[in-house]
Amino acid sequence: MSEVKALENILITMAIAAGTVLLLGPILIPILHKLKFGQSIREEGPASHKKKSGTPTMGGIFLIAAIVIATVIESPLTTEIVLALFIMIGHWILGFLDDYIKVVKKRNLGLKARQKLLGQIIIAVVTMIIATEMLEIKTTLWLPFVENEINLGIFYYALILFVIVGASNAVNLTDGLDGLASGNMAIAASCYAVICILTKHFDLAIFCAAIVGACVGFLRFNFHPAKIFMGDTGSLALGGAFAAIGILTHTEILLAVIGFIFVCEALSVIIQVISFQTTGRRIFKMSPIHHHFELSGWKETKVVFVFWTVGLIFGVMGLLMI
């Protein structure tokens, strides 16, 4: 496939994904609202978030559906695409169960951490087998600006597990403000669509385009003031998709650059927990870090736009590293 044809398919895929979200949103949002699938707001959260209580969640149902539909329509079901969809849908199932337990069963904590981790380990193991045996991905680590790759051997499997668990949870933590996760995911997937074209992963570029289109379409309902939240159903799945792209393009290191915002969100939680447990002091006013800026006086929309901008800057940096 030529680059011109790939670009044409990418634009069509984005249109299909965005159109599907825009079509399904007005149908499913009232249904979720009627079913009282509303978001519960943490008592310790920013006071400005109290008014969001009851806003329908689990928007990831139609967000991820749009990605799958657009990808299947425009891309041949190669092993690479099937694996990417498997990783995303596997996390979609975990996120759906988590949301269902919290929203329907009224158990605030949702899935237990060990249950979620077990699911992610299963997904990672299947990914390891298919990636290394069927797709023949090397057990090496690509480094930017370096000609030779580092052979990790058996430790590459640990890297895959780390990438899948880390990326899915990082995107999940980012989904705390209206449009924050969906906007940054659209930016990250756009950058990876370009990388997929440059590295001749044309089918995977279509998958990236579907993510971009679906996330942009979702912003129609998710930007401030949000009419619906994606919930863990969407954020865990998007994180899984992000991990899949990094693994299948064999550019795992770039996930930390292009997904810089996601990394910062996850690190802020880790730092906060370690600091509080060891010293009794908090580094941030609240974690994840987007809440720190809110409590520092920034409007929610300002935090979102600044984080989008930073995400775009690091996305371009990632492109320059290829």
Side-chain angles (χ1 to χ4, degrees), residues 46-312:
S48 60
H49 286 213
K50 302 298 182 185
K51 60 186 177 184
K52 297 184 181 187
S53 182
T55 300
T57 187
M58 299 176 74
I61 292 174
F62 63 89
L63 170 63
I64 302 305
I67 296 172
V68 174
I69 291 169
T71 301
V72 170
I73 289 175
E74 282 299 308
S75 172
L77 291 179
T78 60
T79 303
E80 190 174 64
I81 287 297
V82 170
L83 181 54
L85 290 174
F86 165 77
I87 296 171
M88 182 180 72
I89 294 172
H91 282 87
W92 180 89
I93 293 171
L94 287 177
F96 178 84
L97 290 173
D98 197 38
D99 282 336
Y100 183 82
I101 292 170
K102 286 188 287 190
V103 176
V104 179
K105 297 295 184 180
K106 305 299 181 185
R107 282 164 43 191
N108 288 336
L109 296 178
L111 283 176
K112 295 178 180 178
R114 63 175 179 270
Q115 294 173 324
K116 191 181 295 184
L117 180 60
L118 175 62
Q120 291 172 316
I121 290 173
I122 292 171
I123 293 169
V125 170
V126 174
T127 301
M128 293 171 195
I129 295 171
I130 296 176
T132 56
E133 298 299 322
M134 298 178 67
L135 294 174
E136 298 182 345
I137 292 177
K138 300 175 184 177
T139 57
T140 56
L141 178 65
W142 170 84
L143 297 174
F145 312 122
V146 176
E147 203 165 304
N148 296 323
E149 297 183 344
I150 300 175
N151 191 350
L152 298 178
I154 195 172
F155 293 105
Y156 182 72
Y157 301 111
L159 175 65
I160 288 181
L161 176 61
F162 176 77
V163 166
I164 287 177
V165 173
S168 57
N169 288 327
V171 175
N172 182 230
L173 289 169
T174 305
D175 185 35
L177 300 180
D178 297 353
L180 181 59
S182 47
N184 273 291
M185 194 65 214
I187 293 168
S190 296
C191 295
Y192 255 115
V194 176
I195 290 172
C196 287
I197 293 175
L198 294 176
T199 56
K200 309 298 182 183
H201 289 85
F202 296 122
D203 295 338
L204 206 55
I206 291 174
F207 179 63
C208 293
I211 295 172
V212 175
C215 286
V216 170
F218 191 68
L219 283 171
R220 166 68 179 80
F221 311 107
N222 185 234
F223 190 67
H224 188 75
K227 298 179 180 66
I228 190 168
F229 303 130
M230 67 173 71
D232 289 359
T233 307
S235 58
L236 276 177
L238 288 177
F242 190 47
I245 297 165
I247 292 168
L248 294 173
T249 56
H250 208 40
T251 57
E252 296 88 355
I253 290 291
L254 281 186
L255 288 174
V257 180
I258 294 175
F260 179 75
I261 289 296
F262 305 136
V263 173
C264 288
E265 296 278 16
L267 282 178
S268 69
V269 173
I270 294 171
I271 292 170
Q272 187 86 323
V273 170
I274 292 175
S275 175
F276 187 73
Q277 289 185 346
T278 56
T279 69
R281 297 177 59 189
R282 291 181 172 86
I283 302 297
F284 306 104
K285 294 182 178 180
M286 183 179 290
S287 65
I289 197 169
H290 54 257
H291 289 319
H292 171 81
F293 288 103
E294 273 193 294
L295 294 177
S296 296
W298 288 24
K299 290 184 178 180
E300 181 174 347
T301 49
K302 179 180 178 179
V303 177
V304 171
F305 280 124
V306 169
F307 278 41
W308 283 1
T309 302
V310 173
L312 179 59

